[in-house]
Short mmCIF file of all heavy atoms in Angstrom, two decimals:
data_model
loop_
_atom_site.label_atom_id
_atom_site.label_comp_id
_atom_site.label_asym_id
_atom_site.label_seq_id
_atom_site.Cartn_x
_atom_site.Cartn_y
_atom_site.Cartn_z
N GLY A 840 -118.90 -25.69 -72.25
CA GLY A 840 -118.10 -24.67 -72.92
C GLY A 840 -117.53 -23.61 -72.02
O GLY A 840 -117.43 -22.45 -72.42
N THR A 841 -117.15 -23.98 -70.81
CA THR A 841 -116.61 -22.99 -69.88
C THR A 841 -115.25 -23.43 -69.35
O THR A 841 -115.02 -24.63 -69.14
CB THR A 841 -117.58 -22.71 -68.72
OG1 THR A 841 -117.04 -21.74 -67.83
CG2 THR A 841 -117.92 -23.97 -67.97
N SER A 842 -114.38 -22.47 -69.13
CA SER A 842 -113.00 -22.76 -68.73
C SER A 842 -112.90 -23.26 -67.29
O SER A 842 -111.93 -23.92 -66.92
CB SER A 842 -112.13 -21.51 -68.89
OG SER A 842 -112.59 -20.46 -68.04
N GLY A 843 -113.86 -22.90 -66.47
CA GLY A 843 -113.84 -23.34 -65.08
C GLY A 843 -112.89 -22.55 -64.20
O GLY A 843 -112.52 -23.01 -63.12
N ASN A 844 -112.50 -21.36 -64.62
CA ASN A 844 -111.61 -20.55 -63.78
C ASN A 844 -112.14 -19.15 -63.51
O ASN A 844 -111.41 -18.29 -63.04
CB ASN A 844 -110.20 -20.48 -64.38
CG ASN A 844 -110.17 -19.87 -65.77
OD1 ASN A 844 -111.17 -19.32 -66.23
ND2 ASN A 844 -109.04 -19.97 -66.43
N VAL A 845 -113.43 -18.92 -63.79
CA VAL A 845 -114.05 -17.63 -63.50
C VAL A 845 -115.13 -17.84 -62.44
O VAL A 845 -116.10 -18.57 -62.66
CB VAL A 845 -114.67 -17.01 -64.77
CG1 VAL A 845 -115.34 -15.68 -64.43
CG2 VAL A 845 -113.62 -16.81 -65.85
N TYR A 846 -114.93 -17.23 -61.30
CA TYR A 846 -115.91 -17.36 -60.21
C TYR A 846 -116.87 -16.17 -60.25
O TYR A 846 -116.53 -15.11 -60.75
CB TYR A 846 -115.15 -17.41 -58.87
CG TYR A 846 -114.51 -18.74 -58.63
CD1 TYR A 846 -113.25 -19.04 -59.16
CD2 TYR A 846 -115.17 -19.74 -57.91
CE1 TYR A 846 -112.67 -20.28 -58.98
CE2 TYR A 846 -114.60 -20.99 -57.71
CZ TYR A 846 -113.34 -21.25 -58.24
OH TYR A 846 -112.78 -22.48 -58.05
N PRO A 847 -118.12 -16.40 -59.79
CA PRO A 847 -118.59 -17.55 -59.03
C PRO A 847 -119.01 -18.77 -59.85
O PRO A 847 -119.24 -19.84 -59.30
CB PRO A 847 -119.79 -17.00 -58.27
CG PRO A 847 -120.32 -15.93 -59.17
CD PRO A 847 -119.11 -15.30 -59.81
N ALA A 848 -119.10 -18.66 -61.17
CA ALA A 848 -119.61 -19.78 -61.96
C ALA A 848 -118.76 -21.04 -61.81
O ALA A 848 -119.29 -22.16 -61.81
CB ALA A 848 -119.69 -19.38 -63.44
N ALA A 849 -117.45 -20.88 -61.65
CA ALA A 849 -116.57 -22.04 -61.52
C ALA A 849 -116.89 -22.86 -60.27
O ALA A 849 -116.54 -24.05 -60.19
CB ALA A 849 -115.11 -21.59 -61.50
N GLY A 850 -117.55 -22.25 -59.30
CA GLY A 850 -117.89 -22.96 -58.07
C GLY A 850 -119.26 -23.61 -58.09
O GLY A 850 -119.64 -24.26 -57.10
N PHE A 851 -119.99 -23.50 -59.18
CA PHE A 851 -121.35 -24.04 -59.21
C PHE A 851 -121.37 -25.55 -59.03
O PHE A 851 -122.26 -26.10 -58.38
CB PHE A 851 -122.04 -23.67 -60.53
CG PHE A 851 -122.44 -22.23 -60.64
CD1 PHE A 851 -123.02 -21.74 -61.82
CD2 PHE A 851 -122.27 -21.33 -59.58
CE1 PHE A 851 -123.41 -20.42 -61.94
CE2 PHE A 851 -122.65 -20.00 -59.69
CZ PHE A 851 -123.22 -19.55 -60.87
N VAL A 852 -120.41 -26.25 -59.63
CA VAL A 852 -120.39 -27.71 -59.50
C VAL A 852 -120.26 -28.12 -58.03
O VAL A 852 -120.88 -29.11 -57.60
CB VAL A 852 -119.27 -28.32 -60.37
CG1 VAL A 852 -117.89 -27.86 -59.92
CG2 VAL A 852 -119.36 -29.84 -60.34
N GLU A 853 -119.48 -27.38 -57.25
CA GLU A 853 -119.33 -27.73 -55.84
C GLU A 853 -120.60 -27.42 -55.06
O GLU A 853 -120.92 -28.11 -54.08
CB GLU A 853 -118.15 -26.97 -55.24
CG GLU A 853 -116.80 -27.34 -55.85
CD GLU A 853 -116.45 -28.82 -55.70
OE1 GLU A 853 -117.02 -29.49 -54.80
OE2 GLU A 853 -115.61 -29.31 -56.48
N GLU A 854 -121.34 -26.40 -55.48
CA GLU A 854 -122.64 -26.14 -54.85
C GLU A 854 -123.58 -27.32 -55.03
O GLU A 854 -124.28 -27.72 -54.11
CB GLU A 854 -123.27 -24.88 -55.45
CG GLU A 854 -122.55 -23.59 -55.15
CD GLU A 854 -122.70 -23.17 -53.70
OE1 GLU A 854 -123.76 -23.44 -53.10
OE2 GLU A 854 -121.75 -22.55 -53.18
N VAL A 855 -123.59 -27.89 -56.23
CA VAL A 855 -124.46 -29.04 -56.51
C VAL A 855 -123.98 -30.26 -55.73
O VAL A 855 -124.78 -30.99 -55.13
CB VAL A 855 -124.50 -29.33 -58.03
CG1 VAL A 855 -125.34 -30.57 -58.32
CG2 VAL A 855 -125.05 -28.13 -58.78
N ARG A 856 -122.68 -30.48 -55.75
CA ARG A 856 -122.12 -31.62 -55.00
C ARG A 856 -122.44 -31.49 -53.51
O ARG A 856 -122.76 -32.46 -52.84
CB ARG A 856 -120.62 -31.71 -55.22
CG ARG A 856 -120.23 -32.30 -56.57
CD ARG A 856 -118.77 -31.98 -56.90
NE ARG A 856 -117.85 -32.38 -55.86
CZ ARG A 856 -117.18 -33.53 -55.84
NH1 ARG A 856 -117.33 -34.40 -56.83
NH2 ARG A 856 -116.34 -33.80 -54.86
N GLY A 857 -122.37 -30.27 -53.00
CA GLY A 857 -122.64 -30.05 -51.59
C GLY A 857 -124.08 -30.33 -51.21
O GLY A 857 -124.36 -30.72 -50.07
N ALA A 858 -124.99 -30.14 -52.17
CA ALA A 858 -126.41 -30.42 -51.90
C ALA A 858 -126.66 -31.92 -51.79
O ALA A 858 -127.66 -32.34 -51.20
CB ALA A 858 -127.28 -29.81 -52.98
N GLY A 859 -125.80 -32.73 -52.42
CA GLY A 859 -125.80 -34.16 -52.19
C GLY A 859 -126.67 -35.02 -53.08
O GLY A 859 -126.67 -36.24 -52.92
N HIS A 860 -127.40 -34.44 -54.05
CA HIS A 860 -128.28 -35.30 -54.84
C HIS A 860 -128.24 -35.03 -56.33
O HIS A 860 -128.86 -35.75 -57.11
CB HIS A 860 -129.73 -35.17 -54.35
CG HIS A 860 -130.28 -33.79 -54.45
ND1 HIS A 860 -130.85 -33.29 -55.60
CD2 HIS A 860 -130.34 -32.79 -53.54
CE1 HIS A 860 -131.25 -32.04 -55.38
NE2 HIS A 860 -130.94 -31.71 -54.15
N GLY A 861 -127.55 -34.00 -56.77
CA GLY A 861 -127.53 -33.66 -58.19
C GLY A 861 -126.39 -34.34 -58.93
O GLY A 861 -125.25 -34.39 -58.45
N HIS A 862 -126.68 -34.88 -60.11
CA HIS A 862 -125.66 -35.46 -60.98
C HIS A 862 -124.98 -34.32 -61.74
O HIS A 862 -125.64 -33.38 -62.19
CB HIS A 862 -126.32 -36.45 -61.95
CG HIS A 862 -125.34 -37.18 -62.81
ND1 HIS A 862 -124.28 -37.89 -62.29
CD2 HIS A 862 -125.26 -37.32 -64.16
CE1 HIS A 862 -123.59 -38.44 -63.28
NE2 HIS A 862 -124.17 -38.11 -64.43
N THR A 863 -123.66 -34.40 -61.89
CA THR A 863 -122.90 -33.31 -62.51
C THR A 863 -122.21 -33.80 -63.78
O THR A 863 -121.60 -34.87 -63.79
CB THR A 863 -121.86 -32.75 -61.54
OG1 THR A 863 -120.98 -33.81 -61.11
CG2 THR A 863 -122.53 -32.13 -60.32
N VAL A 864 -122.31 -33.00 -64.84
CA VAL A 864 -121.78 -33.37 -66.15
C VAL A 864 -121.03 -32.19 -66.76
O VAL A 864 -121.56 -31.07 -66.79
CB VAL A 864 -122.91 -33.81 -67.12
CG1 VAL A 864 -122.33 -34.21 -68.48
CG2 VAL A 864 -123.71 -34.97 -66.52
N GLU A 865 -119.82 -32.45 -67.26
CA GLU A 865 -119.08 -31.44 -68.01
C GLU A 865 -119.04 -31.84 -69.49
O GLU A 865 -118.62 -32.95 -69.82
CB GLU A 865 -117.65 -31.30 -67.49
CG GLU A 865 -116.80 -30.37 -68.34
CD GLU A 865 -115.46 -30.04 -67.73
OE1 GLU A 865 -115.39 -29.05 -66.97
OE2 GLU A 865 -114.47 -30.78 -67.97
N LEU A 866 -119.48 -30.93 -70.35
CA LEU A 866 -119.39 -31.10 -71.80
C LEU A 866 -118.54 -29.95 -72.32
O LEU A 866 -118.94 -28.79 -72.25
CB LEU A 866 -120.78 -31.06 -72.45
CG LEU A 866 -121.82 -32.06 -71.92
CD1 LEU A 866 -123.16 -31.84 -72.61
CD2 LEU A 866 -121.35 -33.49 -72.13
N ASN A 867 -117.36 -30.27 -72.82
CA ASN A 867 -116.41 -29.22 -73.13
C ASN A 867 -115.50 -29.66 -74.26
O ASN A 867 -115.40 -30.86 -74.58
CB ASN A 867 -115.56 -28.89 -71.90
CG ASN A 867 -115.31 -27.42 -71.72
OD1 ASN A 867 -115.63 -26.60 -72.58
ND2 ASN A 867 -114.71 -27.06 -70.59
N LEU A 868 -114.82 -28.70 -74.87
CA LEU A 868 -113.85 -29.04 -75.91
C LEU A 868 -112.67 -29.79 -75.30
O LEU A 868 -112.13 -30.72 -75.90
CB LEU A 868 -113.37 -27.77 -76.61
CG LEU A 868 -112.41 -27.96 -77.78
CD1 LEU A 868 -113.06 -28.77 -78.90
CD2 LEU A 868 -111.94 -26.61 -78.31
N GLU A 869 -112.28 -29.39 -74.10
CA GLU A 869 -111.20 -30.04 -73.37
C GLU A 869 -111.49 -29.92 -71.88
O GLU A 869 -112.35 -29.12 -71.48
CB GLU A 869 -109.85 -29.40 -73.71
CG GLU A 869 -109.81 -27.92 -73.45
CD GLU A 869 -108.57 -27.26 -74.00
OE1 GLU A 869 -107.93 -27.84 -74.90
OE2 GLU A 869 -108.24 -26.16 -73.52
N PRO A 870 -110.82 -30.69 -71.03
CA PRO A 870 -111.10 -30.62 -69.60
C PRO A 870 -110.92 -29.20 -69.05
O PRO A 870 -109.95 -28.52 -69.35
CB PRO A 870 -110.08 -31.58 -68.99
CG PRO A 870 -109.80 -32.57 -70.08
CD PRO A 870 -109.84 -31.76 -71.35
N SER A 871 -111.89 -28.78 -68.26
CA SER A 871 -111.81 -27.47 -67.62
C SER A 871 -110.90 -27.55 -66.41
O SER A 871 -110.43 -28.63 -66.02
CB SER A 871 -113.20 -27.00 -67.18
OG SER A 871 -113.63 -27.78 -66.07
N GLN A 872 -110.66 -26.40 -65.80
CA GLN A 872 -109.82 -26.37 -64.61
C GLN A 872 -110.42 -27.23 -63.49
O GLN A 872 -109.69 -27.83 -62.71
CB GLN A 872 -109.64 -24.93 -64.14
CG GLN A 872 -108.69 -24.76 -62.98
CD GLN A 872 -108.35 -23.31 -62.74
OE1 GLN A 872 -107.84 -22.62 -63.61
NE2 GLN A 872 -108.66 -22.82 -61.55
N GLY A 873 -111.75 -27.29 -63.43
CA GLY A 873 -112.40 -28.07 -62.37
C GLY A 873 -112.98 -29.38 -62.83
O GLY A 873 -113.92 -29.91 -62.21
N HIS A 874 -112.44 -29.96 -63.90
CA HIS A 874 -113.05 -31.16 -64.51
C HIS A 874 -113.20 -32.32 -63.55
O HIS A 874 -114.14 -33.11 -63.65
CB HIS A 874 -112.23 -31.59 -65.73
CG HIS A 874 -110.90 -32.18 -65.39
ND1 HIS A 874 -109.80 -31.40 -65.14
CD2 HIS A 874 -110.50 -33.47 -65.25
CE1 HIS A 874 -108.77 -32.19 -64.86
NE2 HIS A 874 -109.16 -33.44 -64.91
N SER A 875 -112.27 -32.46 -62.61
CA SER A 875 -112.30 -33.63 -61.72
C SER A 875 -113.48 -33.60 -60.75
O SER A 875 -113.79 -34.62 -60.12
CB SER A 875 -110.98 -33.74 -60.93
OG SER A 875 -110.79 -32.59 -60.12
N SER A 876 -114.15 -32.47 -60.62
CA SER A 876 -115.30 -32.37 -59.72
C SER A 876 -116.57 -32.94 -60.34
O SER A 876 -117.56 -33.12 -59.63
CB SER A 876 -115.54 -30.91 -59.34
OG SER A 876 -114.48 -30.39 -58.57
N PHE A 877 -116.55 -33.22 -61.65
CA PHE A 877 -117.74 -33.70 -62.33
C PHE A 877 -117.81 -35.22 -62.34
O PHE A 877 -116.81 -35.90 -62.57
CB PHE A 877 -117.78 -33.17 -63.76
CG PHE A 877 -118.03 -31.69 -63.85
CD1 PHE A 877 -116.96 -30.79 -63.79
CD2 PHE A 877 -119.31 -31.19 -63.98
CE1 PHE A 877 -117.17 -29.43 -63.85
CE2 PHE A 877 -119.53 -29.82 -64.04
CZ PHE A 877 -118.47 -28.94 -63.97
N ALA A 878 -119.01 -35.75 -62.13
CA ALA A 878 -119.19 -37.21 -62.14
C ALA A 878 -119.12 -37.78 -63.55
O ALA A 878 -118.75 -38.94 -63.74
CB ALA A 878 -120.54 -37.56 -61.51
N GLU A 879 -119.45 -36.98 -64.54
CA GLU A 879 -119.49 -37.43 -65.93
C GLU A 879 -118.88 -36.35 -66.80
O GLU A 879 -119.15 -35.16 -66.62
CB GLU A 879 -120.93 -37.72 -66.35
CG GLU A 879 -121.11 -38.22 -67.76
CD GLU A 879 -122.56 -38.55 -68.08
OE1 GLU A 879 -123.36 -38.71 -67.14
OE2 GLU A 879 -122.89 -38.65 -69.28
N ARG A 880 -118.05 -36.77 -67.77
CA ARG A 880 -117.40 -35.79 -68.65
C ARG A 880 -117.38 -36.31 -70.07
O ARG A 880 -117.19 -37.51 -70.30
CB ARG A 880 -115.95 -35.55 -68.21
CG ARG A 880 -115.82 -34.71 -66.98
CD ARG A 880 -115.40 -35.47 -65.75
NE ARG A 880 -114.03 -35.97 -65.80
CZ ARG A 880 -113.51 -36.79 -64.89
NH1 ARG A 880 -114.25 -37.21 -63.88
NH2 ARG A 880 -112.27 -37.21 -64.99
N ALA A 881 -117.57 -35.40 -71.01
CA ALA A 881 -117.44 -35.73 -72.43
C ALA A 881 -116.79 -34.55 -73.12
O ALA A 881 -117.15 -33.39 -72.85
CB ALA A 881 -118.80 -36.04 -73.05
N TYR A 882 -115.86 -34.83 -74.04
CA TYR A 882 -115.08 -33.77 -74.66
C TYR A 882 -115.15 -33.84 -76.17
O TYR A 882 -115.09 -34.93 -76.75
CB TYR A 882 -113.64 -33.82 -74.16
CG TYR A 882 -113.56 -33.67 -72.66
CD1 TYR A 882 -113.19 -34.74 -71.84
CD2 TYR A 882 -113.93 -32.47 -72.05
CE1 TYR A 882 -113.16 -34.61 -70.47
CE2 TYR A 882 -113.91 -32.34 -70.67
CZ TYR A 882 -113.52 -33.40 -69.88
OH TYR A 882 -113.52 -33.27 -68.52
N GLY A 883 -115.26 -32.68 -76.78
CA GLY A 883 -115.35 -32.58 -78.22
C GLY A 883 -116.02 -31.26 -78.60
O GLY A 883 -116.26 -30.40 -77.75
N ARG A 884 -116.33 -31.11 -79.87
CA ARG A 884 -116.99 -29.90 -80.34
C ARG A 884 -118.39 -29.79 -79.75
O ARG A 884 -119.16 -30.77 -79.76
CB ARG A 884 -117.06 -29.92 -81.87
CG ARG A 884 -115.71 -29.77 -82.56
CD ARG A 884 -115.80 -30.14 -84.03
NE ARG A 884 -116.82 -29.38 -84.74
CZ ARG A 884 -116.59 -28.22 -85.34
NH1 ARG A 884 -115.38 -27.69 -85.32
NH2 ARG A 884 -117.56 -27.57 -85.98
N ALA A 885 -118.74 -28.61 -79.26
CA ALA A 885 -120.05 -28.41 -78.65
C ALA A 885 -121.17 -28.77 -79.60
O ALA A 885 -122.19 -29.34 -79.20
CB ALA A 885 -120.20 -26.97 -78.17
N SER A 886 -121.00 -28.44 -80.88
CA SER A 886 -122.05 -28.70 -81.87
C SER A 886 -122.30 -30.19 -82.08
O SER A 886 -123.31 -30.57 -82.67
CB SER A 886 -121.70 -28.04 -83.20
OG SER A 886 -120.48 -28.56 -83.71
N GLU A 887 -121.40 -31.03 -81.60
CA GLU A 887 -121.55 -32.47 -81.73
C GLU A 887 -121.94 -33.13 -80.41
O GLU A 887 -122.89 -33.92 -80.35
CB GLU A 887 -120.25 -33.09 -82.26
CG GLU A 887 -119.87 -32.60 -83.65
CD GLU A 887 -118.49 -33.06 -84.08
OE1 GLU A 887 -117.79 -33.69 -83.25
OE2 GLU A 887 -118.10 -32.78 -85.23
#
């Protein structure tokens, strides 16, 4: 549920990717600004 354009939070996915072992997942209503950085993505209502 985040837009992916407010730092420093928007850079968290790259911190995980840089560590080299964490799986990254975006769950959002629609793709965030940084959606392509996530290994797994699912879109729809958060409550679902």
Side-chain angles (χ1 to χ4, degrees):
T841 180
S842 63
N844 59 10
V845 179
Y846 284 84
F851 287 176
V852 63
E853 296 300 339
E854 292 289 327
V855 177
R856 284 163 54 96
H860 61 85
H862 185 54
T863 57
V864 180
E865 174 171 271
L866 304 177
N867 220 352
L868 184 62
E869 57 189 21
S871 71
Q872 185 169 301
H874 71 277
S875 61
S876 295
F877 290 87
E879 181 177 343
R880 285 107 69 188
Y882 301 110
R884 291 166 56 90
S886 60
E887 297 172 356

